[in-house]
PDB file of all heavy atoms in Angstrom:
ATOM      1  N   VAL A   1      18.289-143.119  53.462  1.00  0.00           N
ATOM      2  CA  VAL A   1      17.438-144.162  53.147  1.00  0.00           C
ATOM      3  C   VAL A   1      16.988-144.001  51.777  1.00  0.00           C
ATOM      4  O   VAL A   1      16.686-142.897  51.270  1.00  0.00           O
ATOM      5  CB  VAL A   1      16.096-144.048  54.053  1.00  0.00           C
ATOM      6  CG1 VAL A   1      15.048-145.066  53.699  1.00  0.00           C
ATOM      7  CG2 VAL A   1      16.423-143.942  55.536  1.00  0.00           C
ATOM      8  N   ILE A   2      17.051-145.068  50.953  1.00  0.00           N
ATOM      9  CA  ILE A   2      16.689-144.972  49.497  1.00  0.00           C
ATOM     10  C   ILE A   2      15.759-146.249  49.218  1.00  0.00           C
ATOM     11  O   ILE A   2      15.771-147.342  49.875  1.00  0.00           O
ATOM     12  CB  ILE A   2      17.844-145.125  48.632  1.00  0.00           C
ATOM     13  CG1 ILE A   2      18.736-146.313  48.829  1.00  0.00           C
ATOM     14  CG2 ILE A   2      18.766-143.827  48.815  1.00  0.00           C
ATOM     15  CD1 ILE A   2      19.815-146.608  47.734  1.00  0.00           C
ATOM     16  N   TRP A   3      14.918-146.104  48.216  1.00  0.00           N
ATOM     17  CA  TRP A   3      14.092-147.113  47.715  1.00  0.00           C
ATOM     18  C   TRP A   3      13.657-146.842  46.287  1.00  0.00           C
ATOM     19  O   TRP A   3      13.551-145.591  45.949  1.00  0.00           O
ATOM     20  CB  TRP A   3      12.744-147.266  48.603  1.00  0.00           C
ATOM     21  CG  TRP A   3      11.923-146.096  48.716  1.00  0.00           C
ATOM     22  CD1 TRP A   3      10.677-146.066  48.119  1.00  0.00           C
ATOM     23  CD2 TRP A   3      12.084-144.907  49.322  1.00  0.00           C
ATOM     24  NE1 TRP A   3      10.090-144.820  48.494  1.00  0.00           N
ATOM     25  CE2 TRP A   3      10.944-144.127  49.198  1.00  0.00           C
ATOM     26  CE3 TRP A   3      13.143-144.473  50.219  1.00  0.00           C
ATOM     27  CZ2 TRP A   3      10.772-142.819  49.770  1.00  0.00           C
ATOM     28  CZ3 TRP A   3      12.994-143.055  50.787  1.00  0.00           C
ATOM     29  CH2 TRP A   3      11.814-142.294  50.477  1.00  0.00           C
ATOM     30  N   GLY A   4      13.527-147.903  45.531  1.00  0.00           N
ATOM     31  CA  GLY A   4      13.130-147.801  44.208  1.00  0.00           C
ATOM     32  C   GLY A   4      14.170-147.155  43.258  1.00  0.00           C
ATOM     33  O   GLY A   4      14.014-146.574  42.203  1.00  0.00           O
ATOM     34  N   ALA A   5      15.386-147.351  43.734  1.00  0.00           N
ATOM     35  CA  ALA A   5      16.608-146.747  43.064  1.00  0.00           C
ATOM     36  C   ALA A   5      17.319-147.754  42.208  1.00  0.00           C
ATOM     37  O   ALA A   5      17.297-148.891  42.576  1.00  0.00           O
ATOM     38  CB  ALA A   5      17.546-145.954  44.008  1.00  0.00           C
ATOM     39  N   ASN A   6      18.066-147.347  41.214  1.00  0.00           N
ATOM     40  CA  ASN A   6      19.036-148.194  40.475  1.00  0.00           C
ATOM     41  C   ASN A   6      20.226-147.448  40.109  1.00  0.00           C
ATOM     42  O   ASN A   6      20.183-146.169  39.911  1.00  0.00           O
ATOM     43  CB  ASN A   6      18.352-148.681  39.222  1.00  0.00           C
ATOM     44  CG  ASN A   6      17.773-147.592  38.294  1.00  0.00           C
ATOM     45  OD1 ASN A   6      16.948-146.868  38.777  1.00  0.00           O
ATOM     46  ND2 ASN A   6      18.116-147.564  36.988  1.00  0.00           N
ATOM     47  N   ALA A   7      21.336-148.203  40.090  1.00  0.00           N
ATOM     48  CA  ALA A   7      22.787-147.602  39.955  1.00  0.00           C
ATOM     49  C   ALA A   7      23.218-147.647  38.409  1.00  0.00           C
ATOM     50  O   ALA A   7      24.220-147.244  37.995  1.00  0.00           O
ATOM     51  CB  ALA A   7      23.673-148.172  40.779  1.00  0.00           C
ATOM     52  N   TYR A   8      22.364-148.478  37.575  1.00  0.00           N
ATOM     53  CA  TYR A   8      22.675-148.586  36.200  1.00  0.00           C
ATOM     54  C   TYR A   8      21.321-148.983  35.455  1.00  0.00           C
ATOM     55  O   TYR A   8      20.326-149.193  36.091  1.00  0.00           O
ATOM     56  CB  TYR A   8      23.669-149.701  36.002  1.00  0.00           C
ATOM     57  CG  TYR A   8      23.363-151.047  36.560  1.00  0.00           C
ATOM     58  CD1 TYR A   8      22.592-152.031  35.901  1.00  0.00           C
ATOM     59  CD2 TYR A   8      23.625-151.318  37.879  1.00  0.00           C
ATOM     60  CE1 TYR A   8      22.368-153.186  36.421  1.00  0.00           C
ATOM     61  CE2 TYR A   8      23.346-152.550  38.428  1.00  0.00           C
ATOM     62  CZ  TYR A   8      22.713-153.546  37.757  1.00  0.00           C
ATOM     63  OH  TYR A   8      22.342-154.740  38.327  1.00  0.00           O
ATOM     64  N   VAL A   9      21.456-148.981  34.152  1.00  0.00           N
ATOM     65  CA  VAL A   9      20.193-149.143  33.288  1.00  0.00           C
ATOM     66  C   VAL A   9      20.440-150.407  32.469  1.00  0.00           C
ATOM     67  O   VAL A   9      21.430-150.604  31.853  1.00  0.00           O
ATOM     68  CB  VAL A   9      19.970-147.925  32.470  1.00  0.00           C
ATOM     69  CG1 VAL A   9      18.847-148.208  31.462  1.00  0.00           C
ATOM     70  CG2 VAL A   9      19.652-146.629  33.211  1.00  0.00           C
ATOM     71  N   THR A  10      19.414-151.158  32.413  1.00  0.00           N
ATOM     72  CA  THR A  10      19.413-152.501  31.705  1.00  0.00           C
ATOM     73  C   THR A  10      18.425-152.386  30.588  1.00  0.00           C
ATOM     74  O   THR A  10      17.625-151.414  30.425  1.00  0.00           O
ATOM     75  CB  THR A  10      19.020-153.738  32.542  1.00  0.00           C
ATOM     76  OG1 THR A  10      17.595-153.642  32.855  1.00  0.00           O
ATOM     77  CG2 THR A  10      19.930-153.678  33.819  1.00  0.00           C
ATOM     78  N   ASP A  11      18.499-153.409  29.671  1.00  0.00           N
ATOM     79  CA  ASP A  11      17.411-153.535  28.513  1.00  0.00           C
ATOM     80  C   ASP A  11      16.055-153.551  29.180  1.00  0.00           C
ATOM     81  O   ASP A  11      15.139-153.010  28.538  1.00  0.00           O
ATOM     82  CB  ASP A  11      17.760-154.747  27.655  1.00  0.00           C
ATOM     83  CG  ASP A  11      19.046-154.673  26.838  1.00  0.00           C
ATOM     84  OD1 ASP A  11      19.498-153.497  26.561  1.00  0.00           O
ATOM     85  OD2 ASP A  11      19.662-155.640  26.426  1.00  0.00           O
ATOM     86  N   GLU A  12      15.983-154.337  30.231  1.00  0.00           N
ATOM     87  CA  GLU A  12      14.583-154.431  30.789  1.00  0.00           C
ATOM     88  C   GLU A  12      14.024-153.063  31.264  1.00  0.00           C
ATOM     89  O   GLU A  12      12.922-152.667  31.082  1.00  0.00           O
ATOM     90  CB  GLU A  12      14.570-155.434  32.013  1.00  0.00           C
ATOM     91  CG  GLU A  12      13.320-155.491  32.688  1.00  0.00           C
ATOM     92  CD  GLU A  12      13.321-156.576  33.832  1.00  0.00           C
ATOM     93  OE1 GLU A  12      14.347-157.198  34.111  1.00  0.00           O
ATOM     94  OE2 GLU A  12      12.370-156.662  34.601  1.00  0.00           O
ATOM     95  N   ASP A  13      14.915-152.273  31.901  1.00  0.00           N
ATOM     96  CA  ASP A  13      14.602-150.927  32.287  1.00  0.00           C
ATOM     97  C   ASP A  13      14.191-150.125  31.061  1.00  0.00           C
ATOM     98  O   ASP A  13      13.229-149.318  31.080  1.00  0.00           O
ATOM     99  CB  ASP A  13      15.670-150.190  33.016  1.00  0.00           C
ATOM    100  CG  ASP A  13      16.153-150.945  34.320  1.00  0.00           C
ATOM    101  OD1 ASP A  13      15.351-151.466  34.999  1.00  0.00           O
ATOM    102  OD2 ASP A  13      17.452-151.033  34.502  1.00  0.00           O
ATOM    103  N   ASP A  14      14.962-150.185  30.103  1.00  0.00           N
ATOM    104  CA  ASP A  14      14.728-149.367  28.820  1.00  0.00           C
ATOM    105  C   ASP A  14      13.401-149.610  28.322  1.00  0.00           C
ATOM    106  O   ASP A  14      12.635-148.784  27.752  1.00  0.00           O
ATOM    107  CB  ASP A  14      15.825-149.638  27.744  1.00  0.00           C
ATOM    108  CG  ASP A  14      15.699-148.833  26.622  1.00  0.00           C
ATOM    109  OD1 ASP A  14      15.276-147.654  26.704  1.00  0.00           O
ATOM    110  OD2 ASP A  14      16.092-149.296  25.523  1.00  0.00           O
ATOM    111  N   ARG A  15      12.935-150.877  28.302  1.00  0.00           N
ATOM    112  CA  ARG A  15      11.588-151.175  27.649  1.00  0.00           C
ATOM    113  C   ARG A  15      10.493-150.546  28.464  1.00  0.00           C
ATOM    114  O   ARG A  15       9.505-150.063  27.919  1.00  0.00           O
ATOM    115  CB  ARG A  15      11.396-152.720  27.729  1.00  0.00           C
ATOM    116  CG  ARG A  15      12.215-153.485  26.615  1.00  0.00           C
ATOM    117  CD  ARG A  15      11.779-154.966  26.482  1.00  0.00           C
ATOM    118  NE  ARG A  15      11.949-155.799  27.727  1.00  0.00           N
ATOM    119  CZ  ARG A  15      13.193-156.316  27.916  1.00  0.00           C
ATOM    120  NH1 ARG A  15      14.169-156.356  27.091  1.00  0.00           N
ATOM    121  NH2 ARG A  15      13.338-157.127  29.014  1.00  0.00           N
ATOM    122  N   ILE A  16      10.662-150.513  29.894  1.00  0.00           N
ATOM    123  CA  ILE A  16       9.706-149.867  30.682  1.00  0.00           C
ATOM    124  C   ILE A  16       9.706-148.328  30.368  1.00  0.00           C
ATOM    125  O   ILE A  16       8.597-147.777  30.241  1.00  0.00           O
ATOM    126  CB  ILE A  16       9.983-150.085  32.172  1.00  0.00           C
ATOM    127  CG1 ILE A  16       9.769-151.578  32.551  1.00  0.00           C
ATOM    128  CG2 ILE A  16       9.096-149.245  33.052  1.00  0.00           C
ATOM    129  CD1 ILE A  16      10.286-151.867  33.871  1.00  0.00           C
ATOM    130  N   TYR A  17      10.848-147.747  30.168  1.00  0.00           N
ATOM    131  CA  TYR A  17      10.876-146.317  29.951  1.00  0.00           C
ATOM    132  C   TYR A  17      10.296-145.917  28.648  1.00  0.00           C
ATOM    133  O   TYR A  17       9.517-144.967  28.559  1.00  0.00           O
ATOM    134  CB  TYR A  17      12.356-145.754  29.872  1.00  0.00           C
ATOM    135  CG  TYR A  17      13.199-146.080  31.151  1.00  0.00           C
ATOM    136  CD1 TYR A  17      14.516-146.367  31.019  1.00  0.00           C
ATOM    137  CD2 TYR A  17      12.511-146.251  32.397  1.00  0.00           C
ATOM    138  CE1 TYR A  17      15.290-146.673  32.188  1.00  0.00           C
ATOM    139  CE2 TYR A  17      13.413-146.522  33.571  1.00  0.00           C
ATOM    140  CZ  TYR A  17      14.655-146.596  33.397  1.00  0.00           C
ATOM    141  OH  TYR A  17      15.395-146.919  34.527  1.00  0.00           O
ATOM    142  N   GLN A  18      10.447-146.770  27.665  1.00  0.00           N
ATOM    143  CA  GLN A  18       9.830-146.526  26.275  1.00  0.00           C
ATOM    144  C   GLN A  18       8.313-146.659  26.352  1.00  0.00           C
ATOM    145  O   GLN A  18       7.647-145.923  25.463  1.00  0.00           O
ATOM    146  CB  GLN A  18      10.379-147.459  25.236  1.00  0.00           C
ATOM    147  CG  GLN A  18      11.897-147.315  24.976  1.00  0.00           C
ATOM    148  CD  GLN A  18      12.443-145.950  24.614  1.00  0.00           C
ATOM    149  OE1 GLN A  18      11.559-145.227  23.953  1.00  0.00           O
ATOM    150  NE2 GLN A  18      13.633-145.511  25.019  1.00  0.00           N
ATOM    151  N   GLY A  19       7.872-147.354  27.343  1.00  0.00           N
ATOM    152  CA  GLY A  19       6.371-147.604  27.334  1.00  0.00           C
ATOM    153  C   GLY A  19       5.565-146.408  27.846  1.00  0.00           C
ATOM    154  O   GLY A  19       4.478-146.444  27.714  1.00  0.00           O
ATOM    155  N   ILE A  20       6.338-145.464  28.427  1.00  0.00           N
ATOM    156  CA  ILE A  20       5.541-144.213  28.961  1.00  0.00           C
ATOM    157  C   ILE A  20       5.959-142.939  28.190  1.00  0.00           C
ATOM    158  O   ILE A  20       5.595-141.859  28.619  1.00  0.00           O
ATOM    159  CB  ILE A  20       5.892-144.046  30.442  1.00  0.00           C
ATOM    160  CG1 ILE A  20       7.462-143.744  30.669  1.00  0.00           C
ATOM    161  CG2 ILE A  20       5.427-145.223  31.232  1.00  0.00           C
ATOM    162  CD1 ILE A  20       7.685-143.260  32.056  1.00  0.00           C
ATOM    163  N   ARG A  21       6.742-143.071  27.108  1.00  0.00           N
ATOM    164  CA  ARG A  21       7.191-141.939  26.440  1.00  0.00           C
ATOM    165  C   ARG A  21       5.968-140.940  25.994  1.00  0.00           C
ATOM    166  O   ARG A  21       6.160-139.787  26.095  1.00  0.00           O
ATOM    167  CB  ARG A  21       8.003-142.279  25.152  1.00  0.00           C
ATOM    168  CG  ARG A  21       8.386-141.152  24.384  1.00  0.00           C
ATOM    169  CD  ARG A  21       9.084-141.704  23.118  1.00  0.00           C
ATOM    170  NE  ARG A  21      10.343-142.251  23.318  1.00  0.00           N
ATOM    171  CZ  ARG A  21      11.518-141.591  23.429  1.00  0.00           C
ATOM    172  NH1 ARG A  21      11.498-140.342  23.187  1.00  0.00           N
ATOM    173  NH2 ARG A  21      12.593-142.186  23.572  1.00  0.00           N
ATOM    174  N   ASP A  22       4.917-141.595  25.495  1.00  0.00           N
ATOM    175  CA  ASP A  22       3.779-140.697  24.882  1.00  0.00           C
ATOM    176  C   ASP A  22       2.727-140.595  26.000  1.00  0.00           C
ATOM    177  O   ASP A  22       2.005-141.558  26.288  1.00  0.00           O
ATOM    178  CB  ASP A  22       3.257-141.539  23.712  1.00  0.00           C
ATOM    179  CG  ASP A  22       2.194-140.673  23.012  1.00  0.00           C
ATOM    180  OD1 ASP A  22       1.670-139.727  23.564  1.00  0.00           O
ATOM    181  OD2 ASP A  22       1.685-141.136  22.077  1.00  0.00           O
ATOM    182  N   VAL A  23       2.724-139.435  26.605  1.00  0.00           N
ATOM    183  CA  VAL A  23       1.642-139.279  27.730  1.00  0.00           C
ATOM    184  C   VAL A  23       0.191-139.224  27.212  1.00  0.00           C
ATOM    185  O   VAL A  23      -0.694-139.467  28.078  1.00  0.00           O
ATOM    186  CB  VAL A  23       2.034-137.905  28.490  1.00  0.00           C
ATOM    187  CG1 VAL A  23       3.385-137.852  29.066  1.00  0.00           C
ATOM    188  CG2 VAL A  23       1.702-136.684  27.600  1.00  0.00           C
ATOM    189  N   SER A  24      -0.016-139.058  25.972  1.00  0.00           N
ATOM    190  CA  SER A  24      -1.273-139.159  25.420  1.00  0.00           C
ATOM    191  C   SER A  24      -1.944-140.570  25.612  1.00  0.00           C
ATOM    192  O   SER A  24      -3.271-140.788  25.603  1.00  0.00           O
ATOM    193  CB  SER A  24      -1.417-138.774  24.050  1.00  0.00           C
ATOM    194  OG  SER A  24      -0.820-139.698  23.132  1.00  0.00           O
ATOM    195  N   LYS A  25      -1.107-141.536  25.883  1.00  0.00           N
ATOM    196  CA  LYS A  25      -1.416-142.948  26.045  1.00  0.00           C
ATOM    197  C   LYS A  25      -1.706-143.289  27.472  1.00  0.00           C
ATOM    198  O   LYS A  25      -2.162-144.432  27.835  1.00  0.00           O
ATOM    199  CB  LYS A  25      -0.458-143.950  25.367  1.00  0.00           C
ATOM    200  CG  LYS A  25      -0.404-143.783  23.911  1.00  0.00           C
ATOM    201  CD  LYS A  25       0.555-144.602  23.286  1.00  0.00           C
ATOM    202  CE  LYS A  25       0.729-144.452  21.697  1.00  0.00           C
ATOM    203  NZ  LYS A  25       1.649-145.383  21.226  1.00  0.00           N
ATOM    204  N   TRP A  26      -1.357-142.274  28.401  1.00  0.00           N
ATOM    205  CA  TRP A  26      -1.509-142.594  29.894  1.00  0.00           C
ATOM    206  C   TRP A  26      -3.102-142.567  30.145  1.00  0.00           C
ATOM    207  O   TRP A  26      -3.910-141.809  29.341  1.00  0.00           O
ATOM    208  CB  TRP A  26      -0.987-141.524  30.756  1.00  0.00           C
ATOM    209  CG  TRP A  26       0.523-141.394  30.584  1.00  0.00           C
ATOM    210  CD1 TRP A  26       1.371-142.310  29.926  1.00  0.00           C
ATOM    211  CD2 TRP A  26       1.357-140.565  31.290  1.00  0.00           C
ATOM    212  NE1 TRP A  26       2.724-141.871  30.065  1.00  0.00           N
ATOM    213  CE2 TRP A  26       2.737-140.825  31.025  1.00  0.00           C
ATOM    214  CE3 TRP A  26       1.196-139.538  32.239  1.00  0.00           C
ATOM    215  CZ2 TRP A  26       3.806-140.237  31.508  1.00  0.00           C
ATOM    216  CZ3 TRP A  26       2.209-138.888  32.746  1.00  0.00           C
ATOM    217  CH2 TRP A  26       3.539-139.161  32.340  1.00  0.00           C
ATOM    218  N   SER A  27      -3.519-143.181  31.172  1.00  0.00           N
ATOM    219  CA  SER A  27      -4.935-142.922  31.545  1.00  0.00           C
ATOM    220  C   SER A  27      -5.169-141.558  31.995  1.00  0.00           C
ATOM    221  O   SER A  27      -4.150-140.804  32.525  1.00  0.00           O
ATOM    222  CB  SER A  27      -5.275-143.865  32.760  1.00  0.00           C
ATOM    223  OG  SER A  27      -4.539-143.473  33.932  1.00  0.00           O
ATOM    224  N   GLU A  28      -6.338-141.093  31.925  1.00  0.00           N
ATOM    225  CA  GLU A  28      -6.649-139.648  32.377  1.00  0.00           C
ATOM    226  C   GLU A  28      -6.370-139.482  33.809  1.00  0.00           C
ATOM    227  O   GLU A  28      -5.892-138.430  34.346  1.00  0.00           O
ATOM    228  CB  GLU A  28      -8.063-139.283  32.060  1.00  0.00           C
ATOM    229  CG  GLU A  28      -8.354-137.812  32.379  1.00  0.00           C
ATOM    230  CD  GLU A  28      -9.934-137.524  31.996  1.00  0.00           C
ATOM    231  OE1 GLU A  28     -10.584-138.252  31.337  1.00  0.00           O
ATOM    232  OE2 GLU A  28     -10.168-136.315  32.212  1.00  0.00           O
ATOM    233  N   LYS A  29      -6.624-140.566  34.585  1.00  0.00           N
ATOM    234  CA  LYS A  29      -6.470-140.497  36.044  1.00  0.00           C
ATOM    235  C   LYS A  29      -4.990-140.260  36.364  1.00  0.00           C
ATOM    236  O   LYS A  29      -4.605-139.559  37.282  1.00  0.00           O
ATOM    237  CB  LYS A  29      -6.929-141.740  36.652  1.00  0.00           C
ATOM    238  CG  LYS A  29      -6.858-141.791  38.288  1.00  0.00           C
ATOM    239  CD  LYS A  29      -7.421-143.049  38.771  1.00  0.00           C
ATOM    240  CE  LYS A  29      -7.329-142.917  40.357  1.00  0.00           C
ATOM    241  NZ  LYS A  29      -7.991-144.257  40.904  1.00  0.00           N
ATOM    242  N   ALA A  30      -4.077-140.850  35.662  1.00  0.00           N
ATOM    243  CA  ALA A  30      -2.632-140.610  35.820  1.00  0.00           C
ATOM    244  C   ALA A  30      -2.232-139.296  35.251  1.00  0.00           C
ATOM    245  O   ALA A  30      -1.299-138.620  35.847  1.00  0.00           O
ATOM    246  CB  ALA A  30      -1.849-141.819  35.194  1.00  0.00           C
ATOM    247  N   ARG A  31      -2.755-138.869  34.062  1.00  0.00           N
ATOM    248  CA  ARG A  31      -2.205-137.733  33.403  1.00  0.00           C
ATOM    249  C   ARG A  31      -2.762-136.455  33.960  1.00  0.00           C
ATOM    250  O   ARG A  31      -1.955-135.355  34.118  1.00  0.00           O
ATOM    251  CB  ARG A  31      -2.580-137.785  31.913  1.00  0.00           C
ATOM    252  CG  ARG A  31      -1.950-136.726  31.124  1.00  0.00           C
ATOM    253  CD  ARG A  31      -2.300-136.819  29.606  1.00  0.00           C
ATOM    254  NE  ARG A  31      -3.671-136.703  29.418  1.00  0.00           N
ATOM    255  CZ  ARG A  31      -4.568-137.739  29.041  1.00  0.00           C
ATOM    256  NH1 ARG A  31      -3.931-138.833  28.835  1.00  0.00           N
ATOM    257  NH2 ARG A  31      -5.716-137.482  28.893  1.00  0.00           N
TER     258      ARG A  31
END
């Protein structure tokens, strides 16, 4: 059983990944 998985990376995926690179910008609740 799998969920939330991907077999390849797109430009859209890349933009999401770059948005979380800096953990200092995360909310304290998340971090």
Side-chain angles (χ1 to χ4, degrees):
V1 183
I2 62 168
W3 64 106
N6 52 302
Y8 56 94
V9 174
T10 68
D11 289 338
E12 180 179 354
D13 299 319
D14 185 31
R15 288 192 294 272
I16 294 172
Y17 304 150
Q18 298 303 328
I20 62 163
R21 178 187 289 273
D22 184 355
V23 300
S24 70
K25 297 179 180 179
W26 296 2
S27 70
E28 183 176 359
K29 185 176 183 180
R31 185 180 64 247

